[in-house]
Amino acid sequence: MKPIIFFKTILIAILFGGVLTMVSCKDELPGAMDTSDKFTVLKSIKIVNAGPNGNEVVIGTVNEDTKTVTFPRLDTLTDFSKLRFEAELSEGATLDQETYTVPFSEGESERTIVIKVVNSPRYREYYVRIRLKVPVYGADFEKGTIYDFTNNPIGNPIYPAHTFTAMTRGSAFDGEHVLVVSRSTMGTHLLKVSDLKNYDTTPIPLNMTGVSMGTFPVNMGALVNGHIYVANLSGNTAASPMRVYHWTNPAEPPQMIVDLNVGTVANAGVRHGDHFSVSLDDSGNGYMFFGDNAGTKVLRLKVENYTTVSDPFVFNMPVSGAGSWTTYNRIGNSSEYIFTGHDAPVTLVTESGSVIFQMSRTAIPIRSSDARVIYFNGERYLIVTTAARTGSEATNFAVYDITKGASVSEALATLNSTPNVKPVFEHSLMGPVNTSPSSNTGWAIKKDSQGNDESLLLFSAASDAGFVFFEFPKKVLEDE
């Protein structure tokens, strides 16, 4: 302890000596500078050379609390290399520069610069937000409404049909209804989206007269232009045929439009209906796709006028080892499709399985399932629901912006090469580990009275996790 006591003694002596010196020299030093009048307040500000001719005046809004300035959006033809401000300042104060350069990179519509109000020796900094008057596109993912019926505690309790373990695997969505395909005591039924928005879950049962056979009589479903489809889970025998049922009125018995002994179709694979995809145009023409349980074959059925099904055609999975829950979704009215599965990367393919572009297994989560490409208000999105196949994954819904690129192939290549890809929107269904991870997605677009895109509805569901849907308004140019 002695060294510490010694040091303190010396320190006290030095401090005491310093005080005496300061007192004795007081009359010999000048007094403290009086700078009380050197204020640096920005009272008002305007840009005086905006617009294509450099003669437009734009008035800014000053927030003294946050030291920020916001201007209305500026014409893109403004000369941003020498933006000139005029400001009302504290007496004697000036801006630190006569003009300011605001460099915009390609694709940017907003920049923030720092200006200084100087009244020597004082200065104060303000952050000035400069925005371009450019069209805005796509959906506003910051202003959506969520209608949640999953394990996620932010919404309602999980929808009851999903609480029967592995009994409710299929779901579909068309903006008007949610289809719940269930082997539980609740049965297969519809829910009105307008009711669900008011948290009314009154089911609309499907008439199941004649629905029978298969490993499971019902397993997956689809909604297309007001038409309801439900597929069973088939074996490969006459005693366990592949069947697809069709309704336009849920109260009436369905029409069985597929009754196929898959064992009679050469090289068709084994067990179909773990997942199934229906891609039809506005006239009801297109295809149904069934991946087999072994993840090696795809069985394609031709559809005409919604109910005439023919021409079974088999091709190899576009990706080896894709797993049992594969999907094959058409992109708009094009000849291109998005293929994926619970263990397959997102792949752009043709209707017969030829690969156009395949993403890597690590670009986005490999469990991304039921991938779809959507066009809305001038932007293009990829949506997926991940499958919680093992304990290391969760069930999440994600939206990726794939607008960049002249084609979907270019867009996916851009996404694939982007490091640390982040979705523009994501939401957790908080699904449990599931050995039957038949994850589902869906979407619909609301139009205004002029036929323009108004809002985007997106849907996600998974076995034992429940379902959720979202409504996002289109982006609107805001001028604060």
Side-chain angles (χ1 to χ4, degrees):
M1 295 296 289
K2 287 184 179 179
I4 297 175
I5 295 170
F6 178 71
F7 174 77
K8 289 172 68 177
T9 304
I10 294 175
L11 181 61
I12 291 169
I14 292 172
L15 290 173
F16 182 71
V19 171
L20 290 176
T21 302
M22 290 174 65
V23 172
S24 63
C25 296
K26 179 180 179 182
D27 293 338
E28 300 174 15
L29 293 175
M33 293 180 61
D34 181 10
T35 59
S36 59
D37 61 337
K38 302 295 185 180
F39 293 118
T40 53
V41 176
L42 177 60
K43 298 179 181 179
S44 66
I45 189 169
K46 56 188 175 183
I47 297 170
V48 295
N49 63 336
N53 298 318
N55 58 356
E56 296 179 11
V57 177
V58 181
I59 298 173
T61 301
V62 180
N63 187 323
E64 188 61 36
D65 293 333
T66 59
K67 303 298 183 287
T68 57
V69 179
T70 302
F71 284 96
R73 294 181 182 273
L74 302 182
D75 192 302
T76 56
L77 297 180
T78 297
D79 185 355
F80 291 99
S81 67
K82 49 182 179 181
L83 214 56
R84 192 167 72 253
F85 297 107
E86 284 186 5
E88 181 185 2
L89 308 168
S90 301
E91 184 177 354
T94 60
L95 296 179
D96 62 328
Q97 295 176 211
E98 290 186 4
T99 62
Y100 296 82
T101 300
V102 186
F104 283 93
S105 302
E106 184 178 354
E108 280 189 323
S109 62
E110 181 175 322
R111 297 280 291 185
T112 298
I113 64 171
V114 178
I115 65 172
K116 290 182 180 180
V117 177
V118 180
N119 203 353
S120 185
R122 297 181 177 183
Y123 72 88
R124 180 176 296 181
E125 293 182 337
Y126 289 84
Y127 294 91
V128 179
R129 185 184 181 196
I130 305 295
R131 298 170 300 154
L132 300 180
K133 190 182 294 183
V134 294
V136 292
Y137 301 98
D140 193 333
F141 291 104
E142 294 182 358
K143 295 182 179 179
T145 304
I146 301 174
Y147 303 92
D148 195 299
F149 300 86
T150 73
N151 285 314
N152 195 316
I154 71 164
N156 297 275
I158 182 173
Y159 187 63
H162 289 270
T163 61
F164 299 86
T165 303
M167 298 288 277
T168 304
R169 304 184 186 184
S171 299
F173 177 85
D174 65 358
E176 298 293 330
H177 292 94
V178 172
L179 172 64
V180 179
V181 182
S182 181
R183 293 180 286 112
S184 73
T185 54
M186 294 185 67
T188 298
H189 55 275
L190 296 171
L191 298 163
K192 290 185 68 174
V193 168
S194 57
D195 289 345
L196 291 171
K197 287 184 175 182
N198 294 314
Y199 303 103
D200 177 355
T201 57
T202 303
I204 305 170
L206 293 187
N207 185 322
M208 304 302 284
T209 301
V211 175
S212 63
M213 301 186 73
T215 304
F216 302 139
V218 299
N219 199 56
M220 298 302 299
L223 295 173
V224 183
N225 303 332
H227 294 255
I228 306 163
Y229 298 92
V230 172
N232 72 347
L233 181 62
S234 75
N236 281 52
T237 66
S240 183
M242 171 191 288
R243 288 186 167 180
V244 178
Y245 304 92
H246 169 265
W247 293 259
T248 53
N249 183 345
E252 296 180 354
Q255 177 185 5
M256 185 165 58
I257 60 175
V258 176
D259 186 13
L260 176 65
N261 177 0
V262 182
T264 64
V265 181
N267 301 312
V270 296
R271 201 172 94 159
H272 298 78
D274 284 296
H275 220 306
F276 105 120
S277 305
V278 183
S279 294
L280 307 180
D281 61 20
D282 291 341
S283 298
N285 302 320
Y287 296 103
M288 294 179 179
F289 297 89
F290 294 80
D292 80 328
N293 183 264
T296 60
K297 302 291 182 179
V298 177
L299 174 58
R300 188 189 75 193
L301 304 177
K302 183 179 179 181
V303 182
E304 296 175 291
N305 194 28
Y306 293 105
T307 59
T308 302
V309 183
S310 62
D311 299 340
F313 178 77
V314 177
F315 54 89
N316 292 328
M317 286 277 181
V319 177
S320 62
S324 305
W325 291 271
T326 57
T327 55
Y328 219 96
N329 294 313
R330 190 179 182 185
I331 300 172
N333 290 321
S334 74
S335 60
E336 296 180 338
Y337 294 75
I338 288 289
F339 169 84
T340 191
H342 80 280
D343 197 25
V346 170
T347 306
L348 183 66
V349 294
T350 67
E351 63 191 28
S352 56
S354 297
V355 174
I356 301 171
F357 180 81
Q358 181 176 312
M359 294 182 66
S360 76
R361 291 177 62 88
T362 57
I364 63 176
I366 189 58
R367 300 298 187 196
S368 297
S369 300
D370 206 14
R372 300 176 192 265
V373 171
I374 302 165
Y375 293 84
F376 176 76
N377 190 33
E379 290 192 340
R380 179 172 51 203
Y381 304 113
L382 173 71
I383 65 170
V384 298
T385 299
T386 57
R389 177 67 165 170
T390 69
S392 61
E393 304 112 354
T395 304
N396 291 320
F397 175 73
V399 183
Y400 298 92
D401 188 338
I402 57 168
T403 303
K404 291 183 179 179
S407 64
V408 174
S409 178
E410 287 184 14
L412 293 178
T414 299
L415 184 70
N416 192 64
S417 62
T418 302
N420 303 316
V421 171
K422 298 294 183 184
V424 293
F425 178 81
E426 59 184 333
H427 182 81
S428 176
L429 281 66
M430 301 185 73
V433 173
N434 198 317
T435 57
S436 306
S438 50
S439 303
N440 299 271
T441 62
W443 61 276
I445 294 174
K446 283 186 177 180
K447 303 282 189 176
D448 62 20
S449 58
Q450 284 76 45
N452 300 313
D453 292 351
E454 185 173 53
S455 63
L456 174 64
L457 289 89
L458 301 176
F459 174 84
S460 178
S463 178
D464 297 349
F467 69 84
V468 58
F469 65 95
F470 317 86
E471 185 165 6
F472 302 100
K474 67 178 182 182
K475 286 180 186 172
V476 175
L477 189 64
E478 295 181 348
D479 210 344
E480 300 167 359

